[in-house]
Amino acid sequence: MLGRIVFFLCLPSVLAAQLCKPNAAEGFKVRLSIKTALGDKAYEWNRNQRFLFQAAIAFAMSHHLELEFNVSNILVCDETPRVSFWFVVTSPGDPSRLVGKESVELAVRESRSRINNILLLNDATLEFVGVLPTLTAPVKPATPSWLIVFGVVIGMVGAGIVFLLVSTVVQKKRKKNEVAEEEDDDEEAQMKRTAGNEGIYNTSFSEYDRNTQM
Amino acid sequence: MKLKLKLPNPGLDDRIPSHGDLERMEKDEAGDRPQWDNKAQYLLTCVGFCVGLGNVWRFPYLCQSHGGGAFMIPFLILLVLEGIPLLHLEFAIGQRLRKGSVGVWRSINPYLAGVGIASMLVSFLVGVYYNTIMAWIMWYLFNSFQDPLPWSQCPLNANRTGYVEECARSTTVDYFWYRETLNTSTAIDESGGLQWWMVLSLIAAWTVLYVCCIRGIETTGKAVYITSTLPYLVLTIFLVRGLTLKGSTEGIKYLFTPDVDELMNPSTWLDAGAQVFYSFSLAFGGLISFSSYNSVHNNCEQDAVLISIINGCTSVYSATVIYSIIGFRATQKYDECFGDNILKLMNAFNYPENNITQSNYNEILTHLNNTSPDVIQGLSLQICDMQTFLSQGVEGTGLAFIVFTEAIIEMPISPLWAVLFFIMLFCLGLSTMFGSIEGVIAPLLDLKLLPRSWPKEVISGLTCFASLALGLIFALRSGNYWLALFDNFAGSIPLLVIGFFEMISVVYIYGMDRFNKDLEFMIGHKPNIFWQATWRVISPLIMIFILIFYFVTQVTKELTYLVWDQEAESFPTLAERYYPQWVYVMIFILAGVPSLAIPVFALYKLIQRKCCKKDYDDSTVDTISAKIQMSDKMKL
């Protein structure tokens, strides 16, 4: 009786050991680079952190397949000091059956950023070997920003050119008017002189002394 | 014993203003010849013309590749023996004869007008391709106002599973430069079409230049306050920033570590001489023009020495700054390379993190190699060599648009540094373009090819428009290859030829005695033995040496060029290709036409004299008295 109880108690862990092994067909290798990601604030990888990882994967599976996964459905094995390990996911209905690799991959990809955030890591430091990171395309605004800057520069330069050209034309016109005025003034002065008494009398030679002083 | 060699030159006195004429012109208003507002404008313009992109991206490379600190020795020696005398000569002759390049040489002797025409052609051709580099700089500048910078990321491929193949195989900066900027084809004969964004950038570059040159030195004189001083400010900012970055001292050490053996290599001296010559923007005609707007008694000797010193110091200073940033980039790449290798080892052998560092990497690797060599083989570890990273692509456009941009994306607040860097390059290039444009417009006015009534604005507008039209060739997909062609051939041999003829003309045709007297009149004392020796003998000899060596190396080496070709084996390194046959015609046009303009024009003048026997000589038309304008007051 005792033997059977012990057998049944050991069965799950034995089964687990058989289900989860390195290079398992339905398993994934995970590598964590905690010190690279967090530097001084790096946490120690221990049982609790592993528990958190299992919970995160369970969340991802539940979210993707809309079934209720438990932490015990995520089996972890072959841990190394690198902090790398293998994990497999068992089906919630039948713990001896593994969930297919494709479903696990899709689930992980769907919730990747969430899993990263939970463990305070990113795509590079939390590596699921074989799962491609989802690439975010660079944000492209409607008008490329360079066109805006180009427009501003061309606008300013164009305004500068127009201003300089207009000021040249205005200066020339002003000069022409001044010269024309000077000419007009000269002519007027001449005409006034020749017009007789109404003219401006040039007093420089008007010493009214008929005889020159000796 | 004085060298009394002087070629006969009849009628010289009729063609040039006498000292009395100069004094009179000094006292009266200069007439329609423009003038500098103050000495600072003149100096800043000349410094701006001399200090250009070559100081930033050619000198540091030469320094580093020819023995670091030891390169200073040939550079300084040739600066003193070649650069300063030629500079002083151009300043003095422009100030004395008060004309642009064509006018000056025509005054000395009508047969020599070809020298001025050659200067004009070279200024034009160089201006066309130099402003294309400005267009590239503007394109990068426009793209620097965003975070993250566009050259820091690869675009995704069509089905969003990975990055575009071309980008993944090379680097993000390479991809941005060769694909998104140039959209380069794989050979010079595959011209592709006009790239609209490049055309827009070209238009931007030429319109900015036009607005600065629109009224000649009246407007450029104001613009140089900014364009000549801003680069120094930015260089200082970069120096401070660079010295606080990790690995910058590596770069500076690499730059200045002397290798005295390099001094035995003749190509070191050749490169130093060529660098001094091109760095001073001699033989473009722009410096002669700028000096002709000076007052007659301006001390051009002092100016020449001052500007030479500034140019030399700027070269060294910018080399330090550039290499501090290059040292930073090299250290980043080195750390990255090491990090990759360490990661591979860690993953393969499950070592905990931080167990393998750069210091114990080697011993761990040897240990692992002994225990499991096949695993190590499978990992394909790279060899990380600091020297390789330091010597990567560090001259020309490669430095500015690939290496430096890569360094910038590693710095915090990258857009700021990108904007600063490209504004600095833009100012450096713009102030050089002022001299180029001056070197085209002043001869055009002297040659009287355009009607006198056309205002200056129209003439500068036409020049800019014509250059833009020709420059569209660089907006093709093969534009980069065309530019390399122009750079190698239009801006090299013709300048050396013109420079040599300038010296000979002034010293032996104008006459050294007359030149000495002119200088005594202008600056108050006769030039001392140093100037005499360099002008008469040393500088022409150096010029001849450099010219012959340059010519020989160009002619003997095979004409190849580097292409960006995805199919090539060496990708992402550039592949070498042979030029097609028709390129030889282009090379002849670029290098031969300006150089041959000198003898061809002399021949043309000779034939004109001989066959069209007129009563009056050409020289009488050029006399000063024929040019004195009757003022309006005397009409009445």
Side-chain angles (χ1 to χ4, degrees), chain B residues 327-499:
Chain B
F328 161 70
R329 172 190 172 266
T331 310
Q332 288 288 95
K333 293 212 94 122
Y334 182 70
D335 287 345
E336 226 177 78
C337 176
F338 244 112
D340 268 347
N341 286 352
I342 291 176
L343 191 68
K344 282 186 186 147
L345 280 182
M346 269 196 331
N347 288 347
F349 294 97
N350 289 320
Y351 277 101
E353 281 180 285
N354 294 348
N355 237 14
I356 315 180
T357 58
Q358 281 189 17
S359 35
N360 59 11
Y361 174 80
N362 280 328
E363 39 175 287
I364 294 186
L365 184 63
T366 36
H367 166 74
L368 289 173
N369 228 351
N370 292 334
T371 49
S372 32
D374 38 340
V375 183
I376 298 285
Q377 288 279 20
L379 286 178
S380 58
L381 296 170
Q382 285 176 325
I383 306 194
C384 302
D385 179 26
M386 188 66 150
Q387 301 290 312
T388 326
F389 291 126
L390 283 168
S391 61
Q392 271 176 346
V394 289
E395 77 156 326
T397 51
L399 170 67
F401 300 121
I402 298 181
V403 168
F404 218 83
T405 44
E406 197 169 17
I408 285 177
I409 52 184
E410 305 288 342
M411 298 194 231
I413 327 176
S414 319
L416 171 70
W417 304 112
V419 168
L420 275 178
F421 178 63
F422 289 113
I423 284 188
M424 174 184 84
L425 287 186
F426 181 69
C427 288
L428 283 172
L430 192 65
S431 47
T432 308
M433 281 306 298
F434 292 158
S436 238
I437 287 288
E438 181 68 27
V440 175
I441 292 184
L444 274 181
L445 293 173
D446 280 343
L447 282 171
K448 300 192 178 63
L449 285 174
L450 301 166
R452 210 94 222 274
S453 56
W454 286 8
K456 199 146 199 184
E457 288 85 350
V458 174
I459 298 179
S460 29
L462 275 178
T463 313
C464 289
F465 187 74
S467 308
L468 170 64
L470 188 60
L472 286 176
I473 204 179
F474 302 118
L476 295 170
R477 288 188 60 188
S478 53
N480 191 26
Y481 308 131
W482 282 102
L483 197 127
L485 194 67
F486 268 67
D487 190 22
N488 277 331
F489 295 105
S492 57
I493 302 230
L495 286 172
L496 289 168
V497 171
I498 296 171

Side-chain angles (χ1 to χ4, degrees), chain A:
Chain A
M1 177 65 183
L2 197 62
R4 263 192 226 154
I5 294 172
V6 170
F7 175 71
F8 276 118
L9 281 175
C10 292
L11 187 59
S13 52
V14 167
L15 269 176
Q18 284 176 336
L19 287 171
C20 175
K21 48 184 192 280
N23 299 316
E26 313 287 348
F28 280 99
K29 181 163 183 177
V30 180
R31 280 196 206 112
L32 285 87
S33 310
I34 309 170
K35 294 208 182 91
T36 315
L38 300 169
D40 290 331
K41 302 197 188 86
Y43 50 77
E44 193 63 44
W45 182 255
N46 53 26
R47 203 185 53 159
N48 298 322
Q49 308 289 354
R50 188 175 63 239
F51 178 82
L52 189 57
F53 173 80
Q54 288 171 305
I57 301 292
F59 159 75
M61 295 301 304
S62 308
H63 181 76
H64 176 67
L65 290 176
E66 312 222 332
L67 293 171
E68 208 175 299
F69 280 83
N70 221 325
V71 172
S72 51
N73 292 119
I74 317 294
L75 306 170
V76 171
C77 56
D78 192 36
E79 275 186 48
T80 66
R82 165 74 179 81
V83 194
S84 70
F85 48 81
W86 283 83
F87 79 91
V88 292
V89 181
T90 56
S91 170
D94 180 9
S96 57
R97 207 166 53 91
L98 292 176
V99 177
K101 196 164 178 165
E102 304 80 33
S103 315
V104 178
E105 181 170 345
L106 287 172
V108 165
R109 284 184 81 175
E110 203 178 325
S111 313
R112 186 64 183 268
S113 56
R114 204 62 195 276
I115 303 173
N116 288 348
N117 285 338
I118 291 171
L119 293 167
L120 301 176
L121 300 170
N122 60 32
D123 277 357
T125 44
L126 173 58
E127 193 188 344
F128 286 85
V129 178
V131 175
L132 299 167
T134 41
L135 303 165
T136 42
V139 176
K140 279 201 190 288
T143 27
S145 70
W146 74 267
L147 266 180
I148 300 174
V149 183
F150 169 77
V152 168
V153 167
I154 288 286
M156 292 196 320
V157 164
I161 294 178
V162 165
F163 168 73
L164 285 169
L165 287 176
V166 164
S167 73
T168 313
V169 170
V170 163
Q171 257 179 29
K172 278 218 175 111
K173 274 215 181 112
R174 211 177 284 161
K175 258 197 196 147
K176 251 195 211 161
N177 286 341
E178 274 180 19
V179 169
E181 276 177 25
E182 270 183 34
E183 283 185 4
D184 286 342
D185 281 342
D186 280 344
E187 281 186 32
E188 276 182 25
Q190 237 189 6
M191 280 166 62
K192 280 187 181 149
R193 266 180 261 132
T194 51
N197 298 336
E198 290 165 306
I200 303 166
Y201 196 67
N202 190 346
T203 56
S204 47
F205 289 98
S206 68
E207 284 174 306
Y208 193 61
D209 201 20
R210 269 185 247 155
N211 303 315
T212 48
Q213 304 287 332
M214 297 287 257

